[in-house]
Amino acid sequence: MARVLAIESSCDETACAVVDGLRVRSSVVASQIEVHAPFGGVVPELASRHHLDSLAPVIRAAIEQAGLEPTKLGAQLDALAVTDSPGLVGALLVGVQAARGLALATGLPLFGVHHMEGHLFSAFIADDSTASEPEPFAPHLALLVSGGHTELVEVHGLGRYELLGATRDDAAGEAFDKVAKLLGLSYPGGPIIDRLAAEGDPSAVAFPRAMLRSKDFDFSFAGLKTAVAVHLEREGQPRSRAELADLCASFQAAVVDVLVAKTCAARRARGCERVHVVGGVAANAGLRARFDDAAAREGFRLVTAPLRYCGDNAAMIAAAAAAHVAEGRAPRVVVQSSVALDEARATP
Ligand code: KG4
Ligand code: ZN
């Protein structure tokens, strides 16, 4: 089992973690939510600058919480890892340069990890050594739903990922954040809409379910965002909390309907017996409940990432790297702002 220290800085979370294989020894995340909230979204330049400020204390805390000696990392760890793609390039570079510095100082090999491969591993990691034995990594079908991605990936093995479908425009999390902004709610909008939706009526407003009946496994959420904007133009902003909750519930139901239906269709087409739901949007209570129902109805095994590891963190990055270390993969780091998971391993 490889012991790995990883750094994650692809977007607006500065994170560092230490794992033993799939077991998390420490996971420290410094969120920049307060920095970006006034702008209603992530400002790349501010993200890079804040990563620079936060990274050293975050790394120090992760080393300390894992019970490691800062001066003996070379002997106490097997490898270092860093998210190298995809993400905001300036933000990625801060993490990558810090990781290269650590590699130079310790002599440890440095593995670049695809951010979405990290999210795949978020469904396997555990804080507790007494946790039950995790499922085998493959085969499974993964729905990756985050602020930057919405992808259906069939996982055939480590590094063997087949992209079945993806969003053609906005990611699901991006739709939550943009609709929250239209409603005058804070950033990130996902958790706020999720809470309000629990109080509302999902059938109050009939929003479109884009591409629900298309034969492929692609998604589209930009039209739904426009439908909310058009509704607000016509009806004005909600006049009460109850009206706001109804709007949130109706919007969320439209997103969840499409995510669940498309995932189930892909599962049936591919004959997958296990479905994983990972990424920031996997924290959504409505989505989790609907997947629970679908799993019970269709008889498949459902694995959702623990809430603590749905959002960006470095433990999932370290766990992915540990799996590659165990397989004897050669370390390499390739920074790219956008690259699909199925292309990532083919890049020389
Ligand atoms: O995976 P993540 O932390 O970062 C990316 O890789 O993008 O995902 C962040 C996204 C944001 O768009 C946020 O609004 C959304 O996940 N999110 C949620 C919830 N919690 C976070 N969306 C819906 N419901 C939630 N409870
Ligand atoms: Zn992410």
Side-chain angles (χ1 to χ4, degrees), residues 10-13 115-116 119 145-149 172-177 187-195 252 279-285 310-313 316:
S10 64
C11 191
D12 60 344
E13 258 95 27
H115 182 77
M116 302 315 284
H119 275 300
V145 261
S146 70
H149 294 79
E174 194 179 350
F176 271 96
D177 296 339
Y187 171 85
I192 303 169
I193 291 183
D194 191 5
R195 277 195 298 277
Q252 182 170 295
V281 183
N284 187 273
C310 284
D312 287 348
N313 64 86
M316 65 188 194

Side-chain angles (χ1 to χ4, degrees), residues 98-310:
R100 284 194 171 135
L102 269 179
L104 208 60
T106 57
L108 290 164
L110 173 61
F111 289 78
V113 174
H114 190 285
H115 182 77
M116 302 315 284
E117 185 178 41
H119 275 300
L120 288 181
F121 273 84
S122 68
F124 294 89
I125 52 183
D127 292 325
D128 188 347
S129 56
T130 61
S132 54
E133 189 69 13
E135 311 264 349
F137 184 61
H140 75 265
L141 173 68
L143 172 68
L144 301 159
V145 261
S146 70
H149 294 79
T150 300
E151 294 177 350
L152 272 167
V153 173
E154 192 172 351
V155 175
H156 299 291
L158 185 66
R160 291 170 52 220
Y161 310 121
E162 186 179 354
L163 187 66
L164 303 184
T167 183
R168 298 203 181 162
D169 39 58
D170 292 354
E174 194 179 350
F176 271 96
D177 296 339
K178 286 178 174 171
V179 165
K181 198 170 176 180
L182 289 173
L183 291 169
L185 302 170
S186 189
Y187 171 85
I192 303 169
I193 291 183
D194 191 5
R195 277 195 298 277
L196 284 162
E199 303 169 19
D201 172 7
S203 59
V205 186
F207 287 126
R209 269 75 170 152
M211 302 183 70
L212 193 57
R213 269 168 256 290
S214 67
K215 294 276 175 277
D216 52 37
F217 303 121
D218 284 345
F219 303 90
S220 165
F221 295 105
L224 175 57
K225 175 196 64 193
T226 306
V228 175
V230 168
H231 175 88
L232 291 175
E233 254 168 47
R234 214 167 32 215
E235 307 286 331
Q237 285 286 336
R239 283 166 290 274
S240 64
R241 184 174 171 105
E243 264 185 49
L244 175 64
D246 281 351
L247 257 183
C248 289
S250 302
F251 159 75
Q252 182 170 295
V255 176
V256 168
D257 271 0
V258 178
L259 290 176
V260 175
K262 286 264 162 144
T263 305
C264 288
R267 187 199 71 77
R268 287 190 296 269
R270 291 304 184 118
C272 301
E273 283 167 14
R274 183 154 48 98
V275 172
H276 288 207
V277 186
V278 297
V281 183
N284 187 273
L287 183 69
R288 291 170 94 96
R290 285 288 302 285
F291 264 115
D292 279 338
D293 293 346
R297 197 176 54 244
E298 296 194 14
F300 62 85
R301 168 112 178 89
L302 174 70
V303 180
T304 36
L307 284 178
R308 169 169 152 69
Y309 296 119
C310 284

